[in-house]
Amino acid sequence: MKVAVVGAGAIGAYVGAALQRGGTEVHLLARGAHLAAMREHGVTVLSPRGDFHAHPHATDDPAEIGPVDIVFLGLKAYSYADAGPLLAPLLHQGTGVIAAQNGIPWWYFHGMPGPHEGRRVEAADPGGAVSAVIRPEAAIGCVVYCSAEIDSPGVIRHVEGTRFSIGEPDGTISQRCSSFSQAMVAGGLKCPVEKDLRSDIWLKLLGNVAFNPVSVLTRATMGDIARHPGTRQLVLNMMYETAEIAARLGNPPKISVERRFDGAARVGDHKTSMLMDFEAGKLLETDVLLKAPVELARLVGVAAPTLELVYALIDLLTPDKRLPERRAGERCSRSPTARVPALRRPAREFRGYTPEAAVSARGILAVCRSANTRPRGGNGGEAMPDSPAVDLRGRLRALPVARGLLPIRRSQVPADLLAGVTLAAVSIPVVLGYAKIAGMPVVTGLYTLLLPLAVFAVLGSSRHLVVGGDSATAAILGATLSGLAVAGSPRYVRLAGLAALLTGLLLLLARVARLAFLTNFLSRTVLVGFLTGVGISVAAGQLPEMLGLTVTDRQTLPKFLQTARALPHLHWADVALSIGVVGIVLAGRLISRKTPGALIAIILAIVVSRAADLAAHGVAVLGQVPRGLPRLAAPALDRHDAAVLLGTAAAMSVVILAQSAVTARTYAATHEEAFDQNADLVGLGAANVAAAFSGTFVVNGSPTQTQVTDSAGGRSQLASLGALTQLPIAALAAVVFVIAVRLIDLAGMRRILAYSRAEFAVALLTTVAVVVMGVEDGIALAVVISIINHLRHSYRPLNSVMRKSPTGHWKAVPVTPGARTENGLVIYRFGTSLYYANASRLVDDVTVLAGEGGPLRWLVLDFAAIGDVDYTAAGVLSRVTEELRKRDVRFLVSSVLGPVRKELDRYGINDALGPGAYYETPGEALEAFQARQAAPPPPA
């Protein structure tokens, strides 16, 4: 696939660099100092996910690129109508144009069934000017959930987000969309192909339509706008009106106005992109962000007085859509009330919206004036009026704490409390099960929902991740401690506390040592296999108690076999209880994820146990449960015990790093929120230290409970503990059994098998290792398997010979004996970084290419995929250079990244290659070779 990025600014250059890193042929179209830097040094991306460098071809002449498969437009929407000269050389009949724009796109009604199909949105496509340049049939929609900025020419600072949702206007899943999505994923980005991209467009517009223009009118940050009562109501009114327009058009946003507002408000004291454009004197995208929704509101008969008023103010302030540059503190002296359209009463009311709250033009101006009463210290913006409450909130938000809690809004507190009760109802029986898996007294499961959860809420950054007991870490802990002490004994509890302390300290050490990258150390394949193995082991371990049997083996397979042999002696009362509990839990999930099926089952089991006196009929019950809050005390601090448990703590730390980060990142991306991996490391480490001193066991970010939090929207609370004494153990075992079965990810295993048999073998091997060897040894093997899997990919890279297609595009062909780019020339691309383990592959390939076929004069090694060369590989390069020189073949290189070139210089490779050995691109090397061949031979 050949991709041209037109407008390679911050987002465009970031996408281009990622695509090129994934192996796609990329051309960047840019200008000025940014272009000069990218030509000379390539694109450097500074990212919280890891820095990287790429060197795609960069130019200011589209004719130099020629026709491409995909054009990625990084331009502002108002530039599209004038982009004809840039796009014409790039387009052919099958070219797709991906417009990464904000607001309503020019193609909105193209391919949309219904009464408006084919209609032109005048605000987005004035007079059909955009459609004349980019045919709607060529358009591919794109919604960007990514923030980046140009740090300096050629250097992109990626702030957050990696999702670029794309989709055809007619909702089909086309080959061109699928191919581009795969290329983006290969480059490390997320690119889902959506059937209903218009709902994504409205979801993003829901925030942009309100916060962007209001920030320009007030010159306030998003946090200021969200906190000020007047602007908060103004923004909410605009969002409610926008949601109603989307609903009338059949594309309602995927989340509520309130959740979208909260997500935007949590961005905090940052300027909107429109405000930054305003301050830089740039054109503003008001037509597609604000004028187009007003046009669509009139089309579908939705009254949008607030949208119309705000658009009138912006339009009057910027009649040519360019805001004049101003000095700090200077204000517009023109009255924006001269051309305000007449207000109309909303056709119907929404929750949280009232006609009386529709802000008048005079009211909007009053809000703007109040938000601009004094300069903001240090950033050139404006702040709110002096207020102790506002100042206190501002100081709290400036601290690196409570980011998962603030801001707290009074209107949301009742709903949050109700959601917290829902979460508690679901969580209580679950954490009792986790305690049982860990071999701890069941009450300690409830303790995980107290101090550890509160500590993470204060120190972590994720607003969704619920920290508490977890099945995977509980299984690792139980497998280790069962051989050191009697389950549930005081020594066992102290050892569990020591394990939690060591785990917490290792997580904090990981933060200090900047080891957050370890969250990606366990591959998704291995993680699926590991959790599936844990699920099988834990489920098999609960069968004896569900059946009323007594077994002595602790290993999974022997325990299962002993259970099978003891089946003639099963206890039918326990069996009936277990079947009843499993049935109630499953029925609750069928009704709703919010239904506390496990809690209902536990309560009914206790009621039946008391009424029928099941303990007198041979049914084992839980017995005495301590009441009250946990006592704060130090765990066991014996040096010998610490040495024994250190390996287990390290294993649990790896699982916590991988599982918590994946969960928090997933929900942050879903809600378009910032995700600070380092802050979460501190929160998780401190939460485990708190667990150690509050008498409980290791805690982790729980995907199950986080899902409940996401749908319910709150934290958890605890209920009375006294009735637990009559809880039948079979009932608790049944709850644990259901938890374990949910960990068995058969769907995930099937998906892996569908994608790659080799990856499936890795996942299956991990599962078998956990079941056969035990959880602790299984996690160690899982880490080893991850390393081997990584080495497998890098040891056998997909190397290729680059060759021009009949249409002039580069294509990769396999390395075969005598393969040539053209007669006398081989351009050879090595598929990954060069290091000691794969350097021999380079020697083998060069030997195959140079040893057979026609005469070879030049061999060009393309470094596009090589990000590092180690000492051993440098020695191999020197030997290859010398061997080719003996064969009278010149060895040259292309697409060498700046840092890699410095490495080659240190190793002395540059001297070995000789002068003129570096080319910016394979195309430049090809042209140089052709020119040399066409030149007349030197006189004798």
Side-chain angles (χ1 to χ4, degrees):
M1 173 177 284
K2 183 179 180 181
V3 177
V5 178
V6 178
I11 293 295
Y14 175 58
V15 169
L19 286 171
Q20 203 264 355
R21 180 175 63 163
T24 300
E25 180 184 352
V26 179
H27 304 267
L28 306 181
L29 202 60
R31 61 185 180 182
H34 190 45
L35 169 62
M38 292 191 294
R39 274 177 167 166
E40 179 71 19
H41 306 294
V43 180
T44 298
V45 177
L46 309 176
S47 172
R49 298 166 57 86
D51 301 346
F52 67 93
H53 187 92
H55 204 151
H57 171 238
T59 181
D60 58 358
D61 182 9
E64 186 179 324
I65 300 173
V68 299
D69 301 307
I70 293 290
V71 171
F72 184 91
L73 278 182
L75 304 171
K76 296 285 189 180
Y78 52 67
S79 304
Y80 291 173
D82 300 323
L86 290 175
L87 296 177
L90 307 174
L91 303 180
H92 62 80
Q93 186 63 33
T95 301
V97 180
I98 297 179
Q101 71 164 90
N102 290 318
I104 302 297
W106 83 95
W107 53 262
Y108 186 83
F109 288 117
H110 175 72
M112 179 180 178
H116 307 300
E117 183 174 5
R119 183 186 181 92
R120 178 165 52 83
V121 181
E122 180 66 22
D125 187 13
V130 179
S131 297
V133 174
I134 310 169
R135 297 176 298 107
E137 295 80 10
I140 298 174
C142 179
V143 180
V144 178
Y145 299 96
C146 173
S147 175
E149 57 191 25
I150 298 178
D151 194 70
S152 60
V155 179
I156 306 302
R157 184 170 297 279
H158 171 228
V159 181
E160 60 182 350
T162 59
R163 184 156 62 101
F164 295 77
S165 299
I166 63 173
E168 295 284 358
D170 62 2
T172 59
I173 305 297
S174 65
Q175 182 59 47
R176 63 182 186 177
C177 280
S178 298
S179 299
F180 184 77
S181 173
Q182 292 168 7
M184 293 280 276
V185 171
L189 304 180
K190 298 176 182 177
C191 189
V193 181
E194 305 286 356
K195 292 184 178 180
D196 181 19
L197 190 70
R198 290 178 180 85
S199 291
D200 285 81
I201 290 172
W202 285 105
L203 174 59
K204 186 170 184 183
L205 182 61
L206 209 57
N208 289 347
V209 75
F211 280 94
N212 275 279
V214 172
S215 71
V216 172
L217 290 171
T218 62
R219 280 181 277 173
T221 65
M222 295 179 72
D224 287 339
I225 293 169
R227 288 190 291 267
H228 189 284
T231 48
R232 180 172 63 245
Q233 187 61 58
L234 169 64
V235 164
L236 283 169
N237 287 349
M238 296 175 73
M239 295 173 76
Y240 284 124
E241 291 173 2
T242 304
E244 177 65 7
I245 299 166
R248 290 283 185 92
L249 287 168
N251 304 110
K254 296 178 179 178
I255 65 174
S256 68
V257 166
E258 291 80 7
R259 280 179 61 184
R260 185 67 178 89
F261 178 89
D262 288 343
R266 282 195 288 271
V267 173
D269 293 324
H270 294 279
K271 299 176 182 179
T272 66
S273 58
M274 184 179 282
L275 177 56
M276 289 188 284
D277 286 345
F278 159 65
E279 293 176 340
K282 296 181 180 179
L283 294 173
L284 305 183
E285 292 183 295
T286 53
D287 283 350
V288 292
L289 285 177
L290 200 52
K291 186 178 181 181
V294 170
E295 178 184 337
L296 296 178
R298 292 169 180 165
L299 175 66
V300 296
V302 171
T306 320
L307 290 175
E308 291 186 358
L309 278 170
V310 173
Y311 175 68
L313 294 174
I314 286 284
D315 191 48
L316 187 63
L317 184 64
T318 59
D320 63 347
K321 304 299 179 292
R322 182 184 293 275
L323 290 176
E325 296 185 26
R326 306 184 199 167
R327 295 182 299 275
E330 184 179 346
R331 299 197 186 155
C332 181
S333 60
R334 299 170 57 185
S335 170
T337 58
R339 293 189 290 161
V340 175
L343 281 175
R344 291 179 291 167
R345 178 75 59 181
R348 69 188 184 115
E349 298 180 4
F350 316 109
R351 184 165 62 89
Y353 176 93
T354 62
E356 293 76 14
V359 186
S360 66
R362 181 174 300 174
I364 293 176
L365 290 175
V367 168
C368 296
R369 285 194 296 271
S370 68
N372 281 297
T373 54
R374 61 181 176 87
R376 172 182 301 280
N379 68 358
E382 309 295 337
M384 311 305 298
D386 288 314
S387 162
V390 171
D391 286 347
L392 178 60
R393 286 197 299 268
R395 290 172 185 169
L396 285 175
R397 289 175 64 81
L399 296 173
V401 296
R403 282 182 280 180
L405 291 171
L406 298 176
I408 297 174
R409 300 180 183 85
R410 294 179 184 176
S411 60
Q412 295 295 321
V413 170
D416 284 345
L417 291 176
L418 180 60
V421 173
T422 303
L423 178 61
V426 175
S427 299
I428 288 173
V430 171
V431 294
L432 296 180
Y434 293 155
K436 187 176 185 301
I437 294 172
M440 294 284 286
V442 292
V443 70
T444 60
L446 299 173
Y447 295 167
T448 65
L449 297 176
L450 293 175
L451 194 57
L453 185 145
V455 168
F456 181 82
V458 172
L459 297 178
S461 73
S462 174
R463 295 181 65 88
H464 298 276
L465 187 67
V466 175
V467 169
D470 173 67
S471 53
T473 50
I476 296 173
L477 182 67
T480 301
L481 298 188
S482 61
L484 301 177
V486 177
S489 66
R491 172 168 168 75
Y492 192 100
V493 173
R494 288 196 300 273
L495 289 174
L498 177 59
L501 178 63
L502 292 173
T503 302
L505 293 177
L506 287 175
L507 291 171
L508 293 173
L509 180 63
R511 170 62 184 94
V512 173
R514 300 181 181 275
L515 298 179
F517 68 90
L518 289 175
T519 56
N520 299 315
F521 195 63
L522 278 181
S523 69
R524 179 62 182 166
T525 301
V526 171
L527 195 58
V528 168
F530 171 72
L531 293 177
T532 298
V534 170
I536 294 172
S537 298
V538 173
Q542 303 311 307
L543 287 175
E545 290 177 342
M546 292 174 66
L547 303 176
L549 302 173
T550 300
V551 296
T552 56
D553 278 307
R554 288 199 297 264
Q555 292 295 322
T556 301
L557 290 181
K559 191 172 190 176
F560 182 77
L561 293 175
Q562 189 177 2
T563 302
R565 288 194 293 268
L567 283 178
H569 308 290
L570 58 80
H571 194 267
W572 286 107
D574 288 296
V575 173
L577 266 174
S578 301
I579 293 174
V581 168
V582 171
I584 293 171
V585 173
L586 295 180
R589 285 186 61 83
L590 289 176
I591 296 171
S592 169
R593 286 185 177 269
K594 296 182 183 180
T595 302
L599 183 62
I600 294 171
I602 291 294
I603 292 173
L604 289 177
I606 292 172
V607 171
V608 172
S609 176
R610 277 187 170 180
D613 194 12
L614 293 181
H617 293 82
V619 175
V621 296
L622 202 56
Q624 188 62 38
V625 176
R627 299 170 181 257
L629 297 174
R631 289 182 297 176
L632 298 181
L637 298 176
D638 183 83
R639 182 181 302 177
H640 173 73
D641 290 337
V644 172
L645 293 175
L646 188 59
T648 300
M652 291 189 290
S653 298
V654 172
V655 173
I656 291 170
L657 281 167
Q659 189 168 302
S660 296
V662 169
T663 304
R665 187 183 294 118
T666 299
Y667 284 94
T670 299
H671 297 285
E672 303 175 54
E673 297 169 357
F675 166 57
D676 188 341
Q677 201 163 267
N678 290 319
D680 278 2
L681 262 182
V682 173
L684 288 164
N688 275 286
V689 173
F693 283 88
S694 58
T696 188
F697 51 94
V698 172
V699 295
N700 187 8
S702 170
T704 305
Q705 296 181 68
T706 301
Q707 170 61 37
V708 176
T709 301
D710 185 58
S711 58
R715 302 294 184 195
S716 62
Q717 299 179 21
L718 293 177
S720 172
L721 309 181
L724 292 178
T725 58
Q726 297 295 319
L727 174 62
I729 290 178
L732 184 57
V735 170
V736 176
F737 179 83
V738 174
I739 294 170
V741 169
R742 289 177 192 163
L743 287 175
I744 302 173
D745 190 359
L746 294 180
M749 297 288 277
R750 283 196 298 268
R751 283 195 299 271
I752 295 171
L753 177 60
Y755 292 142
S756 168
R757 290 187 178 182
E759 293 287 322
F760 175 75
V762 170
L764 186 61
L765 178 61
T766 307
T767 299
V768 172
V770 172
V771 172
V772 174
M773 301 171 58
V775 177
E776 185 181 2
D777 292 337
I779 187 62
L781 184 61
V783 172
V784 173
I785 291 173
S786 281
I787 296 173
I788 294 174
N789 194 32
H790 168 72
L791 292 175
R792 181 177 65 86
H793 287 296
S794 60
Y795 175 71
R796 302 182 63 185
L798 294 176
N799 305 332
S800 58
V801 173
M802 306 303 295
R803 187 179 292 168
K804 285 281 189 176
S805 70
T807 58
H809 298 163
W810 283 110
K811 65 177 182 179
V813 298
V815 176
T816 55
R820 297 289 185 267
T821 300
E822 63 175 51
N823 290 335
L825 171 69
V826 168
I827 298 178
Y828 164 67
R829 176 172 288 175
F830 198 81
T832 189
S833 291
L834 266 169
Y835 68 109
Y836 65 92
N838 63 16
S840 62
R841 302 278 300 179
L842 174 68
V843 176
D844 294 343
D845 286 350
V846 170
T847 302
V848 166
L849 291 169
E852 299 188 35
L856 181 62
R857 296 182 175 85
W858 281 18
L859 192 149
V860 180
L861 173 59
D862 186 59
F863 272 68
I866 300 176
D868 183 53
V869 178
D870 75 356
Y871 180 79
T872 303
V876 170
L877 280 174
S878 296
R879 290 195 297 273
V880 167
T881 304
E882 184 61 30
E883 182 64 29
L884 289 174
R885 185 177 289 115
K886 292 177 182 178
R887 296 173 181 248
D888 200 24
V889 177
R890 190 171 183 200
F891 186 47
L892 308 107
V893 293
S894 66
S895 305
V896 183
L897 306 178
V900 178
R901 186 164 182 167
K902 291 179 181 177
E903 287 182 339
L904 298 181
D905 189 37
R906 286 199 304 271
Y907 293 137
I909 303 298
N910 294 340
D911 294 335
L913 291 174
Y918 283 84
Y919 291 95
E920 290 291 332
T921 64
E924 188 178 313
L926 175 61
E927 291 170 0
F929 177 79
Q930 292 171 339
R932 185 180 181 89
Q933 293 299 105

